[in-house]
Amino acid sequence: MNEKIRKIQHIIEPAPVVEGAGVRLKRSLGGEQLNYLDPFLLFDHFGSPNAEDYQAGFPMHPHRGIETVTYMLTGEVHHRDTLGNAGSIGAGDVQWMTAGGGILHEEMPQVRPEGNGGFQLWVNLPARLKMTRPRYQDIPSQTIPEVTTDEGATIRVIAGHVAGTEGAVTDIAANPTYLDVRIPAGSSFTHPVPQGHTAFAYVFEGKVAFVEDEKGAQQWVAQPALVVWEDGDVVKMVAGEEPVRFLLIFAQPLHEPIARYGPFVMNTKDEIAQALLDLRQGTFIWQEQVRS
Ligand code: FE
């Protein structure tokens, strides 16, 4: 048995950022510390009990070339887009939006006594799908399967597979695994991550020890923190005297060139220039190509 336990490569302390029309959030990917973790382009943690930190929201804005994944923990966000989708996502729900060739959408947090909280992840699209047809998937909380491991950890399987259970979101280009994991006090968690995949954890409740070798060397990380692993076969963590909760996210890297400008992520500068031109000319929104 020579399964290699993945070691910590680096730990990112989320940086405060103001986005949209004035939403305060914590950014750990896509900012100054780590611009890109192939195939992940951005990771934001929003969360505040105070309406002034979130109510300005994200009025109508464009995206192209990526998929955006919103996972709500608290509160409610109203959503509408140029595909004609409109609705509301609440605690435990996921929205997986494929911007593809061009979409405009609006994400407006509603003022609630419990505040507003959750995560947004941007997953890159491979070059061949950058200009694909946009798609919107709404995944209500009750359709997300939950698995309890032999070690006692509880896993919400948002995307990917855990011991034969398939996640609620399927058919995503980069085929990422996205798990919301809780380890009770004193328990441990072990999970296979294929060699070559990019993997990170985002710790957002409590603290956890990352086990780094067979001898049990470990490193404690407290919330909020994003931990990027080195390559290997398996990740291993142990909770202390309190429970811990984190996201475990991994996928195969795309190894393609990146040209990014705000809400557009393409492969070349020319494609970014085209996106800006399309916006100005009113030809940004994806339309069925008519070919003869
Ligand atoms: Fe957006």
Side-chain angles (χ1 to χ4, degrees):
M1 161 109 175
N2 51 359
E3 269 197 339
K4 189 176 185 292
I5 299 175
R6 286 177 176 242
K7 289 183 164 63
I8 291 178
Q9 187 177 69
H10 46 253
I11 302 173
I12 296 170
E13 186 188 330
V17 170
V18 179
E19 261 298 356
V23 177
R24 288 172 198 278
L25 47 82
K26 297 194 270 283
R27 176 160 296 164
S28 17
L29 288 182
E32 283 170 16
Q33 303 172 85
L34 187 59
N35 186 40
Y36 181 41
L37 185 64
D38 192 2
F40 306 110
L41 295 154
L42 176 139
F43 184 83
D44 284 344
H45 178 192
F46 50 93
S48 176
N50 306 316
E52 63 269 25
D53 290 338
Y54 63 83
Q55 68 182 349
F58 302 86
M60 224 20 119
H61 60 277
H63 286 288
R64 178 178 279 181
I66 57 173
E67 300 190 80
T68 70
V69 187
T70 307
Y71 179 32
M72 294 291 295
L73 293 179
T74 313
E76 186 184 3
V77 171
H78 285 184
H79 164 270
R80 70 191 170 96
D81 66 35
T82 46
L83 290 175
N85 299 296
S88 161
I89 57 170
D93 298 341
V94 171
Q95 177 201 293
W96 203 297
M97 204 236 348
T98 308
I103 194 169
L104 303 181
H105 77 159
E106 177 182 272
E107 302 153 289
M108 301 304 287
Q110 303 299 298
V111 175
R112 290 275 178 275
E114 69 272 28
N116 187 268
F119 308 101
Q120 188 165 91
L121 174 72
W122 290 8
V123 187
N124 205 1
L125 281 168
R128 68 185 164 82
L129 294 175
K130 286 276 183 203
M131 296 299 285
T132 193
R133 174 197 292 267
R135 188 167 67 141
Y136 175 79
Q137 296 182 78
D138 219 336
I139 301 101
S141 184
Q142 67 272 16
T143 65
I144 299 174
E146 201 164 283
V147 174
T148 302
T149 68
D150 294 342
E151 296 174 305
T154 312
I155 308 173
R156 298 192 85 213
V157 190
I158 293 164
H161 294 261
V162 175
T165 298
E166 189 174 22
V169 189
T170 55
D171 212 9
I172 297 303
N175 198 23
T177 293
Y178 191 134
L179 310 175
D180 174 2
V181 184
R182 292 167 203 259
I183 315 178
S187 294
S188 54
F189 171 77
T190 312
H191 196 81
V193 177
Q195 281 266 359
H197 281 221
T198 300
F200 72 88
Y202 187 78
V203 183
F204 61 98
E205 283 177 22
K207 60 178 182 172
V208 66
F210 286 71
V211 179
E212 302 203 273
D213 64 27
E214 310 66 36
K215 294 179 192 124
Q218 60 183 46
Q219 193 172 340
W220 284 92
V221 176
Q223 67 83 27
L226 187 143
V227 175
V228 181
W229 276 286
E230 291 179 6
D231 206 358
D233 304 296
V234 66
V235 296
K236 206 170 160 80
M237 291 137 105
V238 182
E241 289 169 2
E242 283 170 17
V244 60
R245 188 174 178 193
F246 59 93
L247 304 178
L248 169 58
I249 295 174
F250 56 91
Q252 182 110 49
L254 295 172
H255 302 300
E256 290 176 346
I258 297 287
R260 72 187 294 169
Y261 182 80
F264 317 121
V265 187
M266 305 301 288
N267 301 110
T268 67
K269 281 184 179 168
D270 284 353
E271 289 165 341
I272 294 292
Q274 186 63 50
L276 291 166
L277 185 66
D278 285 343
L279 258 191
R280 276 202 303 275
Q281 293 182 335
T283 51
F284 181 81
I285 297 167
W286 187 91
Q287 279 169 356
E288 192 81 57
Q289 299 295 309
V290 181
R291 294 195 178 90
S292 53

